[in-house]
Amino acid sequence: MSNKNAVDKLISHQTMAREDFIELFGYYQNQEVRKLLTGEALRLRKQYYGNKVFTRGLIEFTNYCKNNCYYCGIRGANSHIIRYRLSQEEILTCCQEGYRLGFRTFVLQGGEDPFYTDERMAAIIREIKQCYPDCALTLSIGEKSRESYRLFRKAGADRYLLRHETADEVHYRLLHPDNMRLENRKRCLWDLKALGYQVGAGMMVGSPGQSIRTLAEDLLFLQELKPQMVGLGPFIPHHDTCFAGEPAGSVELTLFLLTLVRILLPTVLLPATTALGTLDPGGREKGLMAGANVVMPNLSPLKNRKQYELYDHKICTGEEAAECLGCLDQRVNAAGFTLVSERGDASHTQTSRCIVSE
Ligand code: SAH
């Protein structure tokens, strides 16, 4: 016990300090501790979600973006990509196909595209919720004012994904231009929570400048925010960005973080990301076996798939949604889990960390 203090603290759900998280990374190579942690993560996952894996139909509806995040392939300053945006009708067609395939959550994700004014977004949200009242609608459209978030919520949006990217100021500055502020991103997340959204934060693993210290900061922030969802995927360089020559993040470290986050926030909805599957053909299965319980197949029209290129060599850009789902279904089964067709809300028995006694 005495020499594995941080592990014990995490497993017994005590509040973790920055130094505790740093200590945890010291066990990264320790197979015995890794086994213990993975076992605990899988136990918790099973306790709250059984063998279920939830699906989210991802609709990448615009690759226009006014921002210029240095890591992202669709950043505004990239003049080498073909830009597209989907009409309300096209978005609805994606939902129709998705619903037919069994999806009960739709995720509208895009760059920060001023074409979609608050009114346009609200109209799209209202229509989707009217056509599919039994489905959850998730937005992932970046930083907005509290008023905009309120409007979208009133229109029917249930969830919001906004990765904080890094909780460390210095690291944040390395990844983003001057006009973007970590403080504002955090403000958005707190606003979204206050407005009753199920909120998703998260970060890339292995982004340039990331260190054990910045990751510890990320985990501290997650512990404080207690989001219902956490998006964790490896950084993958995109050839038209400032970070084209940087190495990709580590699959192994991503898996370790998935495990830590599952224990830190036991009821968290944790996707095995496409980025993980891009770096390693068995990456998503490994993600599920490390504590993840969500997959997000692509529902975007085939003609636009390749254009939503956040990073190089993204998988699943050449197949119809149905094929993607079929393939994932087999993979999920092979990993010992079951893909289910339901909304898949966060388990309500507890949203914050709670002691599992005995
Ligand atoms: N505009 C929205 C959606 C961004 S894209 C927003 O600001 O939230 C969704 C996520 O993709 C980002 O939050 C980022 O973490 C991830 N991403 C972007 N570029 C990436 C890259 N090169 N490698 C891996 N993930 C990347």
Side-chain angles (χ1 to χ4, degrees), residues 21 64 86 155 213 217 226 230 260 272 291 325 330-331 350:
F21 286 125
Y64 282 84
L86 303 186
R213 287 209 83 84
E217 215 57 52
K226 296 183 177 60
V230 174
L260 296 184
L325 192 62
Q330 284 177 15
R331 287 167 178 268
Q350 55 133 57

Side-chain angles (χ1 to χ4, degrees), residues 71-72 109-110 142 162-163 165 185 204 234-236 310-311:
Y71 44 84
C72 185
Q109 189 180 81
L162 186 81
R163 291 185 178 178
E165 314 296 1
R185 212 151 173 97
M204 293 174 287
F235 160 75
I236 304 175
L310 304 175
Y311 47 80

Side-chain angles (χ1 to χ4, degrees), residues 191-255:
D191 277 351
L192 289 162
K193 262 207 117 176
L195 289 164
Y197 284 91
Q198 292 179 43
V199 173
M203 63 277 188
M204 293 174 287
V205 179
S207 59
Q210 190 173 66
S211 65
I212 301 279
R213 287 209 83 84
T214 66
L215 282 172
E217 215 57 52
D218 290 324
L219 293 172
L220 264 184
F221 177 63
L222 292 175
Q223 174 176 255
E224 188 193 353
L225 180 71
K226 296 183 177 60
Q228 287 87 357
M229 307 170 277
V230 174
L232 274 178
F235 160 75
I236 304 175
H238 182 284
H239 59 277
D240 279 327
T241 62
C242 323
F243 296 141
E246 297 291 328
S250 145
V251 169
E252 200 51 42
L253 183 56
T254 306
L255 298 174

